[in-house]
C-alpha cells in the first residue's frame, strides 16, 4: 500500500524517470516523487521523445515498490495513473479530459498528458516501478511535429481567465494516484476502478484503428478488462488488446 509521498523538485533534469531509477538503485523508499520544469531527454514509449520545454510543464515521476505485483500487472499501473491525472485536472480546473487508452489524456481531441511506466526486476520479482507523468501546463505553442495534436492546461483554460499551477497539479495527481493505486492493489486489477475508468474512456462505442505489428484494422472500442486491457469488437467478435502491443488511433482526428 502506498502511504507516504515525498516531493523533490529540480529546475532541469535529463528525465525524471531516469532520476527515480538512480534513487531506486540507492535503496530509496517507495513514495519518492521527483519533478522538474524541464527535461533535456524526456522519454515517451518505445524510444519516442516527450517534449518538455523550460518551465512550461509538469514532468513528475514516482517510485513504487509493490510487494505483490506480477510483472504482467505492472502495465495496468499506467491505466491507474491515467485515472489520477484525469481526476486531478477535473477537480482543480473542471477540465473534462478523456483517457485515450492506455497512456494519454486528451482534451478537445488533443493530448495534454502522457504517461510512461517502467520497471526493473530482481531475482524474478518486480524490484521497483517508476511511473512518469508529463502534463503540458503553460505551453502556448509546441514543436511543429506535434502542434496539431498537443494542448496545455492554460490553452484549455484560456477563455476562463484561469491558469494552471504546476505544484498544485503535481500534488493533486499523486494524492489522487494514491487513492486509485491503493484500490488497485486491493485486488491487483481494475475490478474496483473499471466502471469509473470506462466512463472517461475516449472512443467508447466508436471506431478506432488498431495498429498491431502484424496487421492494422478498424474496430469499435468496447471497454477494458479487469487487467486493464482494451476490449474491441471487429468482424463481429471481441478481441483483447494488451498494453504495449498496439497503438490505438481514433480514425476521426487524433482521439
Ligand atoms: C508518452 O509516450 O506519452 C509518455 C510520456 C511520458 C512523459 C513523462 S514526463 C515525466 C517522465 N519522464 C520521462 O522522461 N518521461 C515521463 P507516447 O505515447 O510514446 O507518446 C509520445 C508522443 O507524444 C511523441 O512521439 C509525440 O508525438 C507526442 N508528444 C511529445 N511531447 C508531447 C507533448 N509535450 N505534448 C503532447 N504530445 C507530445
Amino acid at each position: 500500500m502506498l502511504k507516504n509521498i515525498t516531493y523533490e523538485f529540480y529546475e532541469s533534469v535529463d528525465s525524471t524517470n531516469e532520476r527515480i531509477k538512480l534513487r531506486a538503485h540507492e535503496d530509496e523508499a517507495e513514495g519518492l516523487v521527483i519533478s522538474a520544469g524541464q527535461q533535456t531527454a524526456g522519454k515517451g514509449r518505445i524510444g519516442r521523445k516527450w517534449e518538455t520545454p523550460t518551465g512550461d510543464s509538469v514532468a513528475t515521476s514516482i517510485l513504487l515498490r509493490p510487494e505483490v505485483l506480477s510483472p504482467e500487472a505492472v502495465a495496468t499501473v499506467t491505466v491507474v495513473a491515467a485515472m489520477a491525472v484525469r481526476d486531478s485536472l477535473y477537480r482543480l480546473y473542471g477540465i473534462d479530459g478523456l483517457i485515450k487508452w492506455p497512456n494519454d489524456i486528451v482534451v478537445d481531441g488533443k493530448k495534454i498528458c502522457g504517461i510512461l511506466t517502467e520497471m526493473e526486476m530482481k531475482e524474478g520479482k518486480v524490484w521497483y516501478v517508476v511511473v512518469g507523468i508529463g502534463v503540458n501546463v503553460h505551453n502556448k505553442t509546441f514543436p511543429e511535429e506535434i502542434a496539431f495534436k498537443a494542448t496545455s492546461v492554460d490553452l484549455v483554460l484560456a477563455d476562463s481567465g484561469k491558469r494552471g499551477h504546476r505544484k498544485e497539479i503535481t500534488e493533486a495527481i499523486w494524492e489522487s494516484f494514491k487513492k486509485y493505486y491503493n484500490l488497485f492493489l486491493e485486488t491487483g486489477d481494475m475490478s474496483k476502478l473499471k466502471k469509473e475508468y470506462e466512463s472517461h474512456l475516449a472512443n467508447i462505442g466508436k471506431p478506432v484503428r488498431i495498429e498491431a505489428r502484424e496487421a492494422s484494422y478498424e474496430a469499435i472500442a468496447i471497454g477494458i478488462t479487469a487487467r486493464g486491457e482494451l476490449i474491441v469488437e471487429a468482424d463481429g467478435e471481441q478481441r483483447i488488446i494488451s498494453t504495449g502491443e498496439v497503438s490505438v488511433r481514433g480514425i476521426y482526428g487524433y482521439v
Side-chain angles (χ1 to χ4, degrees):
M1 196 175 155
L2 175 59
K3 290 191 188 117
N4 299 322
I5 300 178
T6 52
Y7 293 92
E8 289 183 12
F9 178 79
Y10 300 91
E11 286 303 331
S12 180
V13 297
D14 49 356
S15 152
T16 54
N17 271 28
E18 294 304 317
R19 295 290 115 191
I20 287 286
K21 286 185 202 171
L22 291 176
R23 299 287 286 275
H25 282 256
E26 291 164 3
D27 285 334
E28 188 72 51
E30 168 165 282
L32 172 68
V33 168
I34 292 183
S35 309
Q38 183 197 28
Q39 294 181 120
T40 52
K43 297 190 301 176
R45 292 178 301 161
I46 44 174
R48 291 194 283 240
K49 263 172 59 182
W50 181 255
E51 306 285 349
T52 324
T54 322
D56 283 332
S57 318
V58 159
T60 183
S61 304
I62 195 166
L63 173 62
L64 302 172
R65 294 196 183 274
E67 277 163 26
V68 277
L69 210 57
S70 66
E72 296 74 39
V74 169
T76 316
V77 181
T78 296
V79 171
V80 174
M83 290 183 79
V85 177
R86 201 228 87 92
D87 176 65
S88 305
L89 296 181
Y90 185 70
R91 279 189 298 113
L92 289 172
Y93 309 117
I95 294 178
D96 207 359
L98 289 171
I99 302 171
K100 179 168 168 280
W101 183 93
N103 71 318
D104 294 354
I105 307 298
V106 292
V107 183
D108 301 332
K110 293 180 171 177
K111 183 160 169 173
I112 200 167
C113 162
I115 301 166
L116 175 67
T117 301
E118 300 180 275
M119 69 161 171
E120 195 169 332
M121 314 258 302
K122 198 177 189 178
E123 288 153 14
K125 285 200 213 135
V126 175
W127 183 26
Y128 69 85
V129 175
V130 43
V131 184
I133 296 178
V135 184
N136 301 322
V137 181
H138 300 310
N139 317 58
K140 292 274 186 307
T141 56
F142 291 94
E144 203 184 325
E145 326 81 78
I146 58 167
F148 72 100
K149 61 173 178 183
T151 192
S152 68
V153 171
D154 285 4
L155 286 173
V156 173
L157 294 179
D159 292 341
S160 71
K162 285 190 280 182
R163 287 184 89 223
H165 186 283
R166 290 182 307 145
K167 183 163 183 278
E168 170 179 88
I169 293 171
T170 306
E171 291 175 1
I173 285 174
W174 294 120
E175 278 311 312
S176 179
F177 177 78
K178 184 161 102 176
K179 180 185 82 183
Y180 289 118
Y181 179 66
N182 286 339
L183 280 168
F184 160 74
L185 285 182
E186 282 179 22
T187 55
D189 66 20
M190 294 293 289
S191 45
K192 293 194 172 176
L193 301 171
K194 187 170 141 43
K195 205 164 158 235
E196 182 180 336
Y197 182 92
E198 287 177 341
S199 71
H200 302 303
L201 178 60
N203 273 339
I204 196 153
K206 294 191 203 138
V208 287
R209 177 158 286 278
I210 306 298
E211 287 163 5
R213 228 169 282 137
E214 329 71 71
S216 152
Y217 58 94
E218 218 171 278
I220 304 286
I222 306 289
I224 56 164
T225 66
R227 290 157 58 128
E229 302 142 323
L230 186 69
I231 309 169
V232 300
E233 200 174 282
D235 302 327
E237 63 176 42
Q238 290 203 351
R239 300 185 192 175
I240 289 172
I241 314 296
S242 311
T243 306
E245 195 184 14
V246 291
S247 112
V248 182
R249 295 261 174 272
I251 47 180
Y252 304 124
Y254 177 64
V255 176

